[in-house]
Amino acid sequence: MKDAALFESIAEDSPDAIVLVDEKGLIRFWNRTAESMFGHPREQAMGLRLAELILQGDEPPPSSHGPPEKRSASFDAVARSATGALLYVNVASRPIGMASEIGACEVYNLADVSQLRTRRDAQLLEARYSQLLDSMPDAVVVVNEIGRIALVNPQAEEMFGYRASELVGTPLETLLPERYRATHGRHRERYMGHPHARPMGQGLELHGQRNGGEEFPVEISLSPLRTDLGMFALSAIRDISERRRVERVLEEKNLELQRANQAKDRFLATMSHELRTPLNAIIGFTGILLMRLPGPLTAEQEKQLSTVQQSGKHLLSLINDLLDVAKIDAGGMQMHRVPIEARALVDEVASTLRPIAHAKGLELAVRASQPAAWVHADRRALQQILINLANNAIKFTERGVVELFVEPASDGLWAMGVCDTGSGISQADMARLFEAFSQVGSRQHRSSIEGTGLGLYLCRKLAELHDTAIQVDSQLGQGSRFWLSLPAVPAQDEAAA
């Protein structure tokens, strides 16, 4: 009993952690240094096994079995504190006998050599790699297997606001915001267990913390660094504060543009309705005057009224296009897809536009490979597409034929469209053909043809609402062919329609 009391009084004040383990491997003494070094209070450590409590890695503490002269040992190990932090420890063990109820036991002397070993590794790493790392554009931090910083380059010193001497030997978590430190150790250990190269920019939201507490966003690439000193992790760190600032500015500008675009759509929709009401009255009363219902007209009056009526109709067409475009862009255009007999719709469009074609001396023909072809589409939208395409063909054809067609396409689709013998389209103009308010062709040719530049843009938008696109085949001086492909309606659906 006196031996035990003497041992405890001496061991209690030792600068190293002193642990006494009985012949069953259970802790029977745990001094104050062990408490501060590993963070486990004495009452918590007593009765536990040393290997389970703090020692990590493959090398277990020496066995307390066997001849006493063979049981003394000294080895290096990795220990884990109560907070989860890892330590390099030098462990010396020896058998001890004392007069007490404990009986035969072993005493372990554990010295924390983390700082010493890290600084030793730092000197060797600096001699080998500092010249290479100093030339890198990014900040570089090299960390050993227990998460202590072993090497930094000047860019890392500048980025984080520390001198290299202040960082070497400290936990990597020093460079992280407080909220990440508790979980980072587990992530680091998983990486060291299965080290692999991880490039920058993999969508992770990462932050660093400068000396003084300022947080900043970073991108980090990780690479394993295998040396004869052991495994290290090399982190290349990039400050992306400026990029994030620019991204935020762009996001704000995009929101402003979206709000401005929505305001424009609302304005167009409102004004289009407001303008159509008086314009319809102008066109209607002009028609009444041209019908001579109020009384006779002179030839000059009739000519002037016809000009007013034609201009009014042209303006109404522009307003209608603007209204439709505004509806589509604002998501207000509702599609009602139903089975439609394509040949009948094409005949209807041809009947509407044939007087305009005949007035220019053009033939407006209809070609259908089968008498009945059914497609699934919104009738009003499809009719508007065909009218716009055919009207364009008539405008840009001086002689020959404009033809509306329906023909089978591949994979259960029907192609519907218009071809003409007009002026055709150059390859340079093809790229901007479907842009809003865009008119192609020579300036002289455009000036002689009325148009808003919205017709093909509207066709494109209406086709997209049908999950398809307007196709074009044209060469300058050799005419054009515009078409879209729509799904055929099964026979049973045709019957139901």
Side-chain angles (χ1 to χ4, degrees), residues 38-348:
F38 301 112
H40 295 287
R42 180 175 302 177
E43 58 273 14
Q44 184 184 79
M46 299 295 281
L48 298 178
R49 295 183 180 278
L50 185 62
E52 296 172 356
L53 184 63
I54 59 170
L55 293 182
Q56 308 291 307
D58 298 327
E59 187 168 5
S63 172
S64 59
H65 301 288
E69 66 275 9
K70 294 184 178 181
R71 281 190 272 148
S72 296
S74 178
F75 60 94
D76 289 327
V78 175
R80 183 186 300 278
S81 72
T83 63
L86 299 179
L87 306 171
Y88 285 130
V89 291
N90 178 260
V91 185
S93 68
R94 67 184 186 279
I96 187 172
M98 62 179 72
S100 74
E101 72 278 3
I102 299 175
C105 55
E106 281 181 296
V107 62
Y108 286 85
N109 193 95
L110 299 99
D112 182 357
V113 294
S114 302
Q115 198 76 358
L116 181 66
R117 180 167 165 179
T118 301
R119 291 195 176 277
R120 182 205 66 187
D121 292 346
Q123 291 176 352
L124 296 173
L125 290 173
E126 185 174 7
R128 294 182 187 179
Y129 303 112
S130 62
Q131 188 173 359
L132 173 64
L133 299 186
D134 289 355
S135 65
M136 294 182 68
D138 294 318
V140 174
V141 178
V142 179
V143 180
N144 62 19
E145 63 179 328
I146 65 169
R148 301 291 182 98
I149 297 172
L151 184 63
V152 296
N153 67 352
Q155 292 83 330
E157 293 180 86
E158 181 180 356
M159 179 181 290
F160 290 99
Y162 292 95
R163 295 190 303 275
S165 58
E166 295 176 289
L167 289 175
V168 171
T170 62
L172 178 62
E173 285 74 20
T174 303
L175 305 180
L176 299 180
E178 185 70 35
R179 63 183 182 279
Y180 296 134
R181 295 178 184 178
T183 58
H184 184 264
R186 293 194 296 272
H187 296 315
R188 185 192 65 248
E189 287 182 43
R190 280 200 297 269
Y191 178 82
M192 296 303 289
H194 302 281
H196 60 281
R198 193 189 76 189
M200 283 191 181
Q202 290 197 332
L204 300 175
E205 190 76 20
L206 304 173
H207 290 81
Q209 180 172 290
R210 306 187 207 277
N211 187 4
E214 178 193 354
E215 289 189 23
F216 62 102
V218 295
E219 281 185 345
I220 299 177
S221 69
L222 294 175
S223 302
L225 182 62
R226 296 176 174 87
T227 73
D228 54 350
L229 303 174
M231 174 68 71
F232 296 84
L234 186 150
S235 304
I237 306 166
R238 186 171 299 165
D239 184 347
I240 58 172
S241 300
E242 181 60 20
R243 187 204 304 172
R244 288 290 171 83
R245 186 192 67 79
V246 172
E247 288 174 353
R248 286 194 299 271
V249 170
L250 289 175
E251 288 174 2
E252 291 171 1
K253 293 297 182 184
N254 283 334
L255 288 174
E256 289 178 11
L257 288 173
Q258 289 176 10
R259 287 193 289 267
N261 198 45
Q262 290 169 357
K264 177 220 44 170
D265 292 338
R266 290 193 298 269
F267 171 78
L268 287 176
T270 302
M271 290 306 297
S272 296
H273 284 295
E274 294 296 326
L275 288 172
R276 282 202 302 181
T277 301
L279 196 53
N280 280 324
I282 292 171
I283 295 171
F285 283 113
T286 304
I288 291 173
L289 291 174
L290 286 170
M291 292 170 64
R292 295 178 174 82
L293 295 179
L297 297 171
T298 65
E300 183 62 26
Q301 287 172 334
E302 185 172 357
K303 178 182 177 182
Q304 291 175 358
L305 285 171
S306 295
T307 300
V308 172
Q309 188 181 56
Q310 184 179 0
S311 298
K313 288 180 178 179
H314 177 66
L315 183 56
L316 183 61
S317 175
L318 170 60
I319 291 170
N320 286 336
D321 284 349
L322 283 171
L323 180 60
D324 285 338
V325 167
K327 277 185 179 180
I328 293 172
D329 288 343
M333 180 71 78
Q334 299 297 320
M335 292 286 101
H336 302 285
R337 300 191 195 188
V338 295
I340 298 170
E341 190 177 359
R343 173 59 191 263
L345 182 61
V346 166
D347 283 336
E348 184 180 327

